Amino acid sequence: MGYELRRLGLEDAEQLAKVANNKEVARFLRVAFPHSYTLQDAREYISYAENSKDDVVFGIFIENKAFGCICAWIRSDVYAKSCELGYWLAQEHWGKGIMTSAVRAFCKFVFENYDVNRIDAEIFADNTSSKRVLEKAGFELEGVHKKKVYKYGEFADELIYALVKD
């Protein structure tokens, strides 16, 4: 199944809100990604994506409809040559290889267009699907932070994966 990575526009808000409003999608994401996910949440995120000078945010489009997002938060200070990767995809498209392909393509784009030499991802240890995505995309596990994250009233371990520019 084909997909396209491109910038989001306000015309994508309704579709984005529809597919993001899923507790399973929000389960392994930060609290900043709410459940329930409303049209207003989608509009605010798209506005942030359009106006951010430090972050790279693309929608994941399938048949010209937004079904997820992928982003890189460019760091500053002594971490200025690195960024953090984040992503999510509508549940109906899980397990089809879309996210692995999108992560590969997006990381290639970031390395070619931004002055970074490292992309890392911080994921919940129980998120086996995201582990597979990152490993298939060439990321290496660097470490485990015990009980670092707290969501839904429970602590969880966090895994740190990284991809370093050749």
Side-chain angles (χ1 to χ4, degrees), residues 23-140:
K23 190 170 184 176
E24 285 303 304
V25 170
R27 181 176 171 205
F28 292 122
L29 299 175
R30 293 181 180 165
V31 174
F33 188 100
H35 180 73
S36 299
Y37 196 100
T38 66
L39 181 57
Q40 184 61 29
D41 292 321
R43 287 180 178 144
E44 288 174 5
Y45 184 73
I46 291 168
S47 178
Y48 150 77
E50 289 178 325
N51 296 305
S52 178
K53 292 177 178 31
D54 298 322
D55 302 327
V56 184
V57 181
F58 287 161
I60 301 170
F61 289 81
I62 300 166
E63 295 178 0
N64 211 32
K65 290 183 182 178
F67 279 96
C69 292
I70 190 165
C71 57
W73 296 287
I74 309 295
R75 295 198 171 104
S76 60
D77 203 285
V78 296
Y79 307 105
K81 301 293 184 184
S82 68
C83 64
E84 181 182 351
L85 177 70
Y87 51 83
W88 66 270
L89 186 66
Q91 188 172 10
E92 66 195 84
H93 291 292
W94 291 359
K96 299 177 181 177
I98 294 168
M99 189 51 74
T100 299
S101 178
V103 166
R104 285 181 184 135
F106 184 74
C107 290
K108 182 177 186 297
F109 173 84
V110 169
F111 281 141
E112 289 174 354
N113 292 280
Y114 293 86
D115 188 20
V116 298
N117 73 322
R118 173 192 168 92
I119 300 171
D120 53 56
E122 302 169 353
I123 66 168
F124 287 61
D126 290 341
N127 191 345
T128 55
S129 296
S130 202
K131 285 190 255 188
R132 280 194 311 271
V133 163
L134 293 170
E135 289 166 359
K136 287 179 181 179
F139 281 71
E140 293 183 17

